[in-house]
Amino acid sequence: MATSKETGKQPSALSPRRLLQWAASPAVLDFIGRDRADAVASFVNNNLILKLRQRRAYAQSQAQDEAAQAYLKTHFCRRPFNTMETTHTGLVFACCPVYLPTPIGRLDENHRDVWHSDIANKIRDSIIDGSYSYCDHVNCPFIAGRQLEPRDTDEAREFIEHHRKGRAVAPPPLQVVLSHDKSCNLACPSCRSGIYVANKARQAKLDDLTEKSLLPMLKDAGEVIITGSGDAFGSNHFRNLIKRLTASDDYKDLQIHLHTNGQLFDERAWRDLNLSGHVGAVQISIDAAEADTYANVRRPGNFARLLKNLAFIKTKRETGEIQHLMFSMVVQDANYREMPAFVRMGQDFGADSVMFNMYRQRDVFSKGEYEDAFIGDPHHPDHADFLEILHAPELYLPIANLGNLAAYAPAGWLDADKHPIGQAAE
Ligand SMILES: C[S@@+](CC[C@H](N)C(=O)[O-])C[C@H]1O[C@@H](n2cnc3c(N)ncnc32)[C@H](O)[C@@H]1O
Ligand code: SF4
Ligand code: SF4
């Protein structure tokens, strides 16, 4: 039997990950129904998986070498001071839960109490003391890619001062990330085993949440990101919410950032959702530069349709109706060779940035499938080839961002403007 690369131990038949895989399997979904399977998955995630991730984050923070400690003590992350993220398991976080796996409260609680909860304040303290002990130091692209902001700026000092003065002074979250609906028009193998669209009952609950929690929460916010869980255009709940936001003067200053696979992002959706004048940044996850690869990693996505939509999106970027356009790729065995071409694709379609991040283990695929796809493992047969690709000049262009892949990059990548390859690529 294979051993776990993370622990070196035999994977337990009753490990939390196995339970999640079980709850997501088609046979179980058919037998107990999606709602019950989701409830099991939420329980396992909230009570077991998160605890493991929290312990791992803490251990990573304790294991940082002197250079990393010095870096963290002289840099700052504003996310826990200005960001709140909802999840489909009903919890609320002060950053992406993959990067910072400790929840600060629940979605059904008063959002102001959640924002000022004891644990939220402890997380902020850990940024200020430079330990980052709640953060996942390997998965967080800002830590792994050394992309935190310097600590000695007026803005960082202001965040810290407001935090110290407490609830009466500390501002509400500027940025709210909505990730509580997994509904999506695609079933990318990196993310899920089949198409998931919330049923009518679940949608009604979500829309109820719009009235009770989301609209009040967003009145205080400056930016909303839709979505990190499903798709901004593939979710009826999010489409309904966007329509509410763009129709009301109460939200005229709220910027909507869209995170989407782009398949449904066309002129008609732009019009139906009344997006003009409301959009800030747009992130399109594409994961491929060639049609065959796209068909494999973004199922059942249509590459020709994507390209048509990207041409439309480019026009919105050119008029400034989209303020920042990012293309992103989750790097895995199936697509790493296309990284340089993907940067060129970003240039062709007017992207401001092209972001790469490493493929992560998720409960929807087996450990064997993960090991086949995870190109970051030095034992992977294509790992050396992957490292070679990271020398490609395109990856040193200013628009290329290696995210948490920076840990694999040649020494000069983080300092690309001084790197000889970077200069050649300009
Ligand atoms: C879950 S999606 C939701 C937003 C939208 N549907 C999209 O694909 O952009 C959020 C991000 O997770 C990424 N993702 C999916 N599976 C992943 C995996 N196994 N490891 C790392 N990132 C993954 C997607 O590429 C996307 O950028
Ligand atoms: S350092 Fe990374 S994990 Fe920690 S709060 Fe900032 S973005 Fe989140
Ligand atoms: S498009 Fe996004 S949410 Fe949908 S399956 Fe793919 S990665 Fe997941």
Side-chain angles (χ1 to χ4, degrees), residues 21-73:
Q21 279 167 358
W22 174 82
S25 66
V28 170
L29 291 180
D30 280 351
F31 188 61
I32 66 171
R34 180 168 294 275
D35 287 347
R36 284 204 194 94
D38 276 353
V40 173
S42 293
F43 179 85
V44 173
N45 183 67
N46 294 355
N47 295 287
L48 303 172
I49 298 268
L50 283 180
K51 301 274 182 299
L52 291 173
R53 290 205 191 136
Q54 288 160 16
R55 257 183 256 149
R56 189 177 62 190
Y58 180 75
Q60 288 166 351
S61 74
Q62 300 302 299
Q64 288 287 26
D65 63 20
E66 265 180 40
Q69 284 175 23
Y71 174 79
L72 294 174
K73 283 200 190 304

Side-chain angles (χ1 to χ4, degrees), residues 12-298:
S12 150
L14 267 180
S15 71
R17 197 166 290 291
R18 284 269 169 88
L19 278 168
L20 279 185
Q21 279 167 358
W22 174 82
S25 66
V28 170
L29 291 180
D30 280 351
F31 188 61
I32 66 171
R34 180 168 294 275
D35 287 347
R36 284 204 194 94
D38 276 353
V40 173
S42 293
F43 179 85
V44 173
N45 183 67
N46 294 355
N47 295 287
L48 303 172
I49 298 268
L50 283 180
K51 301 274 182 299
L52 291 173
R53 290 205 191 136
Q54 288 160 16
R55 257 183 256 149
R56 189 177 62 190
Y58 180 75
Q60 288 166 351
S61 74
Q62 300 302 299
Q64 288 287 26
D65 63 20
E66 265 180 40
Q69 284 175 23
Y71 174 79
L72 294 174
K73 283 200 190 304
T74 50
H75 288 77
F76 180 71
C77 181
R78 64 177 67 190
R79 273 156 208 83
F81 299 80
N82 75 354
T83 302
M84 189 142 111
E85 175 151 354
T86 64
T87 62
H88 68 275
T89 62
L91 299 177
V92 176
F93 291 78
C95 180
C96 164
V98 174
Y99 307 157
L100 200 166
T102 301
I104 58 170
R106 297 190 56 83
L107 198 42
D108 53 14
E109 293 170 328
N110 177 296
H111 68 276
R112 294 202 176 105
D113 293 340
V114 170
W115 184 240
H116 295 288
S117 65
D118 287 348
I119 185 63
N121 285 329
K122 279 187 186 155
I123 290 171
R124 292 174 193 127
D125 288 340
S126 77
I127 306 288
I128 294 172
D129 70 23
S131 67
Y132 291 66
S133 52
Y134 294 91
C135 304
D136 185 315
H137 292 229
V138 173
N139 278 315
C140 169
F142 301 96
I143 297 181
R146 297 289 184 265
Q147 298 189 35
L148 294 168
E149 59 192 300
R151 185 171 288 242
D152 58 354
T153 63
D154 289 345
E155 266 189 301
R157 274 195 282 270
E158 195 180 355
F159 274 116
I160 295 172
E161 196 186 314
H162 283 160
H163 166 64
R164 291 207 166 115
K165 287 187 174 156
R167 185 169 178 147
V169 174
L174 169 77
Q175 186 177 75
V176 175
V177 187
L178 298 181
S179 299
H180 54 270
D181 182 14
K182 290 201 293 182
S183 299
C184 183
N185 50 311
L186 295 187
C188 310
S190 67
C191 177
R192 53 191 68 186
S193 52
I195 295 273
Y196 170 78
V197 177
N199 61 24
K200 282 222 162 80
R202 172 89 184 136
Q203 253 182 59
K205 274 192 194 155
L206 291 170
D207 289 343
D208 196 36
L209 202 64
T210 298
E211 307 304 325
K212 290 195 178 121
S213 304
L214 305 177
L215 292 175
M217 186 192 289
L218 293 175
K219 263 201 187 135
D220 288 342
E223 303 169 14
V224 58
I225 299 183
I226 304 176
T227 168
S229 53
D231 195 79
F233 298 92
S235 150
N236 284 328
H237 164 65
F238 285 135
R239 289 179 83 107
N240 290 341
L241 174 67
I242 293 172
K243 280 187 195 159
R244 290 290 302 273
L245 296 174
T246 56
S248 164
D249 263 2
D250 287 350
Y251 301 96
K252 64 179 184 337
D253 296 328
L254 180 73
Q255 277 201 340
I256 303 175
H257 301 310
L258 298 164
H259 191 168
T260 170
N261 56 55
Q263 282 285 316
L264 302 175
F265 191 169
D266 55 15
E267 191 160 9
R268 186 171 166 187
W270 183 270
R271 225 184 13 249
D272 285 353
L273 301 181
N274 187 24
L275 285 170
S276 260
H278 298 279
V279 177
V282 169
Q283 178 176 346
I284 318 263
S285 308
I286 300 173
D287 293 1
E290 289 173 17
D292 287 355
T293 310
Y294 188 78
N296 179 21
V297 296
R298 294 256 130 191

Side-chain angles (χ1 to χ4, degrees), residues 387-402:
L387 295 183
E388 199 47 47
I389 292 280
L390 293 181
H391 286 86
E394 288 87 343
L395 301 179
Y396 292 84
L397 288 168
I399 67 166
N401 187 334
L402 288 187

